[in-house]
Amino acid sequence: CKTSERKSRGGKVETWSRGAAKEKTLECGQIVWGLAFSAWPTAEEEDTDPACALGLPCLVLATGLNDGQIKVWEVQTGHLLFSLLGHQDVVRDLSFAPNGSPILVSASRDKTLRVWDLSRDGRNGRDIPVLSGHVQWVYCCSISPDCSMLCSAAGEKSALLWSMRSYTLIRRLEGHQSSVVSCDFSPDSALLVTASYDACVIMWDPYTGEQLRTLRHVPLHSTLDSSSEIHTSSLRSVCFSPEGLYLATVADDRLLRIWALEFRSPVAFAPMTNGLCCMYFPHGGFIATGTRDGHVQFWTAPRVLSSLKHLCRKALRTFLTTYQVLALPIPRKLKEFLTYRTF
């Protein structure tokens, strides 16, 4: 990185260079497997950040560690807020409730998920919901934007869908031919996608369990290494774009793919190696990918101006379930559009 300068508000010149110290390092003491950010309003006496003391949102970071601990940090100060104990093996993934409440879900190699309430009374690890049902390590968990459902994926051919209200199993989503390794909800909670080692992404209606579409990853022969013994199309990660019109996928065939919701073929490709995960920037336009060799890469993603039709559908589906839409006294074609049956 070349040395660059910028002026601070006080007029001083701040210098940033490759050799400069990092702004902050959080010493977790263990291998970090999972990360999750959340803006969390706190106003406790021990808070060291003035913003938190005023009751303003603080940026907190939860870290899932190799020994089964979860450490929660206040990012601005680097202060360790507390540790969560209970898992018996690696905490592989973490997901905060999207509605800003202090609810954190953790997925672990001990084959369970735990739902933590990070308010003062919910940190001791006692009487917290423990979700059991997987027979393999749990790789991934995702909370729906309306906070009504939780999806989890393990080294199994099915994903599990849980109720975030009763913490009970709603259904098993069966349709993949190999291990499901990643899952994500659309921004309006109306769709759920799962990615598997079988080289397919399945798009589900989480309310009915219906398979709406299957996206198959066809290798581009020019990108393959003939000496490789791995299944080069095995999927690693899938995620929705913030407006809900695109998907991004990372596979072992050295490609990042961008899919438009209405098409069955990718609309864009990017060559990459050793990809493991992907995530859209919250405001769209960029995708971050993580790799086995320790790099995070950023890619320009297709930008789109959402149609009025899609914005209306997204607004309605944010608070209406599929069953509620089907019960509306409206034309059948409109019901099909609102339930994503008209791709």
Side-chain angles (χ1 to χ4, degrees), residues 177-311:
Q177 303 304 310
S178 188
S179 299
V180 182
V181 293
S182 183
C183 57
D184 195 26
F185 284 93
S186 63
D188 58 5
S189 304
L191 297 173
L192 171 67
V193 288
T194 55
S196 167
Y197 287 158
D198 64 8
C200 291
V201 170
I202 296 180
M203 195 178 300
W204 310 81
D205 184 321
Y207 295 102
T208 66
E210 181 182 351
Q211 295 185 35
L212 301 180
R213 170 165 289 188
T214 298
L215 305 177
R216 303 185 185 280
H217 284 61
V218 179
L220 297 184
H221 297 290
S222 60
T223 67
L224 303 183
D225 180 358
S226 58
S227 64
S228 175
E229 296 180 356
I230 63 172
H231 186 184
T232 51
S233 292
S234 293
L235 279 161
R236 296 293 172 177
S237 184
V238 62
C239 66
F240 266 101
S241 62
E243 80 289 330
L245 289 174
Y246 289 96
L247 292 172
T249 59
V250 169
D252 283 341
D253 62 359
R254 305 173 189 170
L255 288 174
L256 166 69
R257 289 173 171 83
I258 309 298
W259 309 74
L261 212 59
E262 66 269 25
F263 299 129
R264 294 183 182 271
S265 299
V267 297
F269 297 87
M272 62 177 299
T273 57
N274 296 322
L276 281 179
C277 55
C278 60
M279 181 62 64
Y280 266 91
F281 178 62
H283 302 293
F286 300 95
I287 298 172
T289 57
T291 67
R292 291 184 184 86
D293 51 14
H295 296 148
V296 174
Q297 298 171 315
F298 294 87
W299 310 85
T300 302
R303 283 185 177 272
V304 63
L305 183 63
S306 299
S307 67
L308 182 59
K309 283 175 33 176
H310 175 68
L311 291 174

Side-chain angles (χ1 to χ4, degrees), residues 125-140:
R126 296 187 297 241
D127 301 323
I128 66 166
V130 178
L131 309 184
S132 302
H134 287 290
V135 296
Q136 300 291 339
W137 295 348
V138 188
Y139 292 141
C140 177

Side-chain angles (χ1 to χ4, degrees), residues 34-340:
L35 298 169
F37 281 105
S38 180
W40 180 27
T42 58
E44 300 182 357
E45 295 179 358
E46 67 267 25
D47 286 325
T48 56
D49 184 5
C52 291
L54 294 174
L56 299 176
C58 300
L59 184 62
V60 299
L61 173 67
T63 54
L65 306 182
N66 197 64
D67 62 356
Q69 284 192 73
I70 301 167
K71 292 187 177 182
V72 181
W73 309 80
E74 203 284 294
V75 175
Q76 183 65 27
T77 62
H79 175 61
L80 176 63
L81 297 176
F82 43 82
S83 297
L84 304 174
L85 306 177
H87 281 298
Q88 305 302 311
D89 208 332
V90 173
V91 176
R92 188 64 182 82
D93 195 22
L94 297 163
S95 181
F96 274 103
N99 62 0
S101 64
I103 299 299
L104 174 69
V105 175
S106 56
S108 172
R109 285 185 178 177
D110 65 11
K111 305 174 186 177
T112 69
L113 300 108
R114 291 175 179 254
V115 184
W116 309 86
D117 181 352
L118 301 191
S119 61
R120 181 181 296 276
D121 296 333
R123 303 175 188 169
N124 56 21
R126 296 187 297 241
D127 301 323
I128 66 166
V130 178
L131 309 184
S132 302
H134 287 290
V135 296
Q136 300 291 339
W137 295 348
V138 188
Y139 292 141
C140 177
C141 59
S142 178
I143 303 176
S144 64
D146 65 3
C147 295
S148 67
M149 295 172 286
L150 167 71
C151 184
S152 58
E156 304 158 8
K157 295 181 181 180
S158 59
L160 301 188
L161 193 64
W162 309 84
S163 168
M164 283 294 288
R165 297 187 176 96
S166 62
Y167 302 120
T168 57
L169 182 65
I170 299 174
R171 64 173 54 88
R172 291 181 178 270
L173 300 173
E174 298 180 337
H176 284 291
Q177 303 304 310
S178 188
S179 299
V180 182
V181 293
S182 183
C183 57
D184 195 26
F185 284 93
S186 63
D188 58 5
S189 304
L191 297 173
L192 171 67
V193 288
T194 55
S196 167
Y197 287 158
D198 64 8
C200 291
V201 170
I202 296 180
M203 195 178 300
W204 310 81
D205 184 321
Y207 295 102
T208 66
E210 181 182 351
Q211 295 185 35
L212 301 180
R213 170 165 289 188
T214 298
L215 305 177
R216 303 185 185 280
H217 284 61
V218 179
L220 297 184
H221 297 290
S222 60
T223 67
L224 303 183
D225 180 358
S226 58
S227 64
S228 175
E229 296 180 356
I230 63 172
H231 186 184
T232 51
S233 292
S234 293
L235 279 161
R236 296 293 172 177
S237 184
V238 62
C239 66
F240 266 101
S241 62
E243 80 289 330
L245 289 174
Y246 289 96
L247 292 172
T249 59
V250 169
D252 283 341
D253 62 359
R254 305 173 189 170
L255 288 174
L256 166 69
R257 289 173 171 83
I258 309 298
W259 309 74
L261 212 59
E262 66 269 25
F263 299 129
R264 294 183 182 271
S265 299
V267 297
F269 297 87
M272 62 177 299
T273 57
N274 296 322
L276 281 179
C277 55
C278 60
M279 181 62 64
Y280 266 91
F281 178 62
H283 302 293
F286 300 95
I287 298 172
T289 57
T291 67
R292 291 184 184 86
D293 51 14
H295 296 148
V296 174
Q297 298 171 315
F298 294 87
W299 310 85
T300 302
R303 283 185 177 272
V304 63
L305 183 63
S306 299
S307 67
L308 182 59
K309 283 175 33 176
H310 175 68
L311 291 174
C312 290
R313 174 172 59 185
K314 183 178 176 182
L316 287 170
R317 290 311 309 271
T318 298
F319 64 90
L320 290 178
T321 69
T322 300
Y323 296 114
Q324 290 171 326
V325 170
L326 295 177
L328 293 175
I330 56 177
R332 179 178 57 84
K333 287 187 176 181
L334 188 52
K335 291 181 181 181
E336 291 175 350
F337 174 76
L338 291 176
T339 56
Y340 292 88

